């Protein structure tokens, strides 16, 4: 069966510090991968999605970036965090090639102070 | 731009009642619609996926319908239980193959024992 992992589970970082959140998927190959952010009182916002290694599409202009160095690894980064980057970050995956459900990880709670 | 709206934002009902959650979307050119459940502080759990060619899907006490022409979907929960308390989110897939989801704000459901 497939499993999706995210770490860390929680993170408190000062403004201006760097960020690296990691997501890995087990039990599948060549998935589509997604990063979402859920801010307090707001819905889920798609940040990035990737259909393959090194292929990243950005949905929202911001100071975040994403990378996919391996088939089942997706990383969300920032060089300098802003207060507005606080939120709940969710990674998700879906198989390719049809109408499949999207599966979400447990999330990372980021607080920028 | 696709927009997804869920009404009501919050709903509280006594245990045992049947209930309906609503989801509407502005652009009928969708590929799929997915319903999720989110418990506080957790990731999303997929409940049902309705493909664009389908009218409804059922899983246990849950039944979801889709009317693309009117831009609406409903999630019917039969014989509600306290364990059904959660936030329910609907999302539409707007790009074939990439599974790029646009989410509603969710309905926070409370089932009172």
């Amino acid at each position: 069966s497939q499993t999706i992992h995210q770490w860390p589970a929680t993170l408190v970082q000062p403004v201006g510090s760097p960020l690296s959140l990691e997501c890995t998927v087990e039990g599948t190959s060549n998935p589509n991968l997604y990063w979402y952010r859920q801010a307090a009182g707001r819905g889920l916002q798609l940040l990035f999605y990737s259909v393959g290694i090194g292929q990243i599409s950005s949905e929202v202009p911001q100071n975040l970036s994403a990378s996919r160095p391996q088939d089942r690894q997706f990383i969300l980064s920032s060089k300098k965090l802003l207060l507005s980057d606080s939120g709940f970050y969710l990674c998700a995956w879906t198989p390719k090639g049809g109408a499949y459900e999207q599966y979400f990880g447990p999330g990372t709670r980021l607080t920028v102070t | 731009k696709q927009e997804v709206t869920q009404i009501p934002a919050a709903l509280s009902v006594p245990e045992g009642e049947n209930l309906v959650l609503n989801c509407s979307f502005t652009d009928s050119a969708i590929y799929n619609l997915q319903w999720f459940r989110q418990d506080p502080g957790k990731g999303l759990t997929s409940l049902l996926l309705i493909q664009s060619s389908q009218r409804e899907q059922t899983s246990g006490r849950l039944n979801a319908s889709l009317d693309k022409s009117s831009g609406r979907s409903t999630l019917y929960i039969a014989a509600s239980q306290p364990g059904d308390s959660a936030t329910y989110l609907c999302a539409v897939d707007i790009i074939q193959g990439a599974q790029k989801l646009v989410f509603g704000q969710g309905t926070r459901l409370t089932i009172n024992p």
Side-chain angles (χ1 to χ4, degrees):
Chain A
S1 65
Q2 299 86 10
T3 309
I4 180 168
H5 302 279
Q6 286 187 246
W7 63 90
T10 61
L11 192 60
V12 180
Q13 293 283 91
V15 168
S17 63
L19 173 74
S20 182
L21 303 181
E22 189 165 343
C23 169
T24 59
V25 182
E26 296 178 353
T28 187
S29 61
N30 196 27
N32 289 338
L33 296 171
Y34 308 82
W35 277 113
Y36 292 86
R37 176 171 59 202
Q38 189 174 37
R42 300 179 64 180
L44 267 80
Q45 180 183 39
L46 178 63
L47 302 175
F48 302 94
Y49 70 95
S50 171
V51 298
I53 296 175
Q55 300 178 64
I56 310 294
S57 295
S58 174
E59 294 298 304
V60 182
Q62 62 218 330
N63 69 324
L64 299 172
S65 62
S67 62
R68 184 171 178 174
Q70 301 181 41
D71 180 44
R72 292 170 291 171
Q73 184 185 31
F74 206 20
I75 296 173
L76 183 70
S77 304
S78 174
K79 293 181 179 179
K80 290 185 178 182
L81 284 169
L82 306 173
L83 285 173
S84 58
D85 291 324
S86 293
F88 192 47
Y89 288 81
L90 290 158
C91 181
W93 77 277
T94 189
K96 281 195 177 58
Y100 296 105
E101 294 171 271
Q102 199 160 117
Y103 301 98
F104 282 75
T108 295
R109 175 74 58 189
L110 171 65
T111 303
V112 182
T113 59
Chain B
K1 179 185 174 185
Q2 178 73 266
E3 293 184 359
V4 180
T5 303
Q6 291 186 246
I7 296 173
L11 181 64
S12 180
V13 302
E15 180 179 3
E17 283 202 1
N18 303 324
L19 58 99
V20 174
L21 305 181
N22 297 295
C23 171
S24 61
F25 44 95
T26 55
D27 187 343
S28 62
I30 67 169
Y31 291 95
N32 310 294
L33 185 143
Q34 199 168 349
W35 281 93
F36 296 88
R37 167 189 174 133
Q38 186 177 28
D39 293 291
K42 305 293 185 182
L44 277 65
T45 300
S46 178
L47 297 174
L48 290 164
L49 171 73
I50 308 178
Q51 299 181 29
S52 59
S53 59
Q54 298 174 323
R55 298 281 295 182
E56 65 179 315
Q57 278 287 341
T58 298
S59 176
R61 294 183 293 108
L62 305 179
N63 176 276
S65 67
L66 173 63
D67 184 345
K68 282 181 59 178
S69 61
S70 67
R72 294 181 182 178
S73 175
T74 61
L75 179 66
Y76 175 82
I77 302 177
S80 58
Q81 303 170 358
D84 295 330
S85 297
T87 296
Y88 290 80
L89 297 141
C90 73
V92 297
D93 180 4
I94 61 173
I95 293 184
Q96 189 175 23
Q99 284 250 351
K100 185 176 159 184
L101 298 181
V102 177
F103 281 83
Q105 298 275 0
T107 293
R108 186 167 61 251
L109 176 65
T110 303
I111 307 298
N112 301 303

